[in-house]
Amino acid sequence: MTRLKINNPKIFLLTISLIVYVISLTQTAISSNELEDKSLSGIACLVMGGLAILGGGILEWIIWLANPLYFLSIVLLYNSNNMAKIFSSLATVIALSFTAWKEILLSESGRNGKIDSLDFGYWLWVLSLTILTIGIFYISKKSVKQYKHSA
């Protein structure tokens, strides 16, 4: 049996995480009978979440901040593993905290609506963040182990 050799674990990690992230954007993320279309796709959440602060959705905007933290941790992975660990962990915790929500802001008028379910797109989004976080910790541990071995 041949073993797959990964030449650059950072590239492999980023590729898997980003593929899952992009797929999450195409899937239904949130379902609510109070929404006009009954559901929101991942891309709609990404776009509307960034604008939520303009409509008074400060808490929704805080959840959306997991996205820039995710991309910041990708950049930091190449510059500072420790900072990448912090930002990716924070992004994952913020994303997971959304599971405790029962309602979301539905309109600029401030009307909230009940969340009926968190769907496949949401869970793929969380998975992409989790993959990155676990991968960053693994790469960091592996590089420390190699440094100690070579010293």
Side-chain angles (χ1 to χ4, degrees):
M1 182 157 91
T2 61
R3 188 171 178 203
L4 177 65
K5 180 158 171 92
I6 300 167
N7 292 334
N8 190 335
K10 288 181 181 181
I11 298 291
F12 180 76
L13 168 65
L14 294 177
T15 301
I16 298 300
S17 180
L18 286 170
I19 286 171
V20 174
Y21 186 90
V22 169
I23 293 171
S24 77
L25 297 177
T26 66
Q27 304 299 310
T28 301
I30 301 170
S31 294
S32 173
N33 286 329
E34 298 177 42
L35 287 168
E36 190 173 305
D37 294 332
K38 305 288 186 220
S39 65
L40 290 171
S41 68
I43 192 76
C45 291
L46 179 65
V47 172
M48 291 183 350
L51 300 174
I53 197 164
L54 301 175
I58 294 171
L59 294 176
E60 286 82 355
W61 184 74
I62 290 172
I63 298 297
W64 173 84
L65 280 177
N67 293 300
L69 291 172
Y70 168 76
F71 289 107
L72 180 60
S73 62
I74 288 173
V75 171
L76 290 172
L77 177 60
Y78 285 96
N79 299 322
S80 168
N81 278 350
N82 287 332
M83 292 303 289
K85 285 193 275 188
I86 291 168
F87 285 113
S88 66
S89 298
L90 187 57
T92 303
V93 168
I94 289 171
L96 283 170
S97 73
F98 191 64
T99 59
W101 286 38
K102 305 295 179 219
E103 294 183 329
I104 57 170
L105 182 69
L106 293 178
S107 67
E108 298 82 21
S109 68
R111 185 172 75 93
N112 285 343
K114 181 179 177 267
I115 297 172
D116 293 328
S117 67
L118 298 174
D119 298 323
F120 192 57
Y122 168 77
W123 293 109
L124 282 175
W125 176 60
V126 170
L127 178 63
S128 70
L129 300 172
T130 305
I131 288 169
L132 183 67
T133 301
I134 292 170
I136 288 171
F137 276 87
Y138 174 77
I139 289 169
S140 179
K141 183 177 179 179
K142 189 176 175 183
S143 65
V144 166
K145 199 181 270 187
Q146 286 176 345
Y147 176 74
K148 286 181 180 179
H149 184 23
S150 66

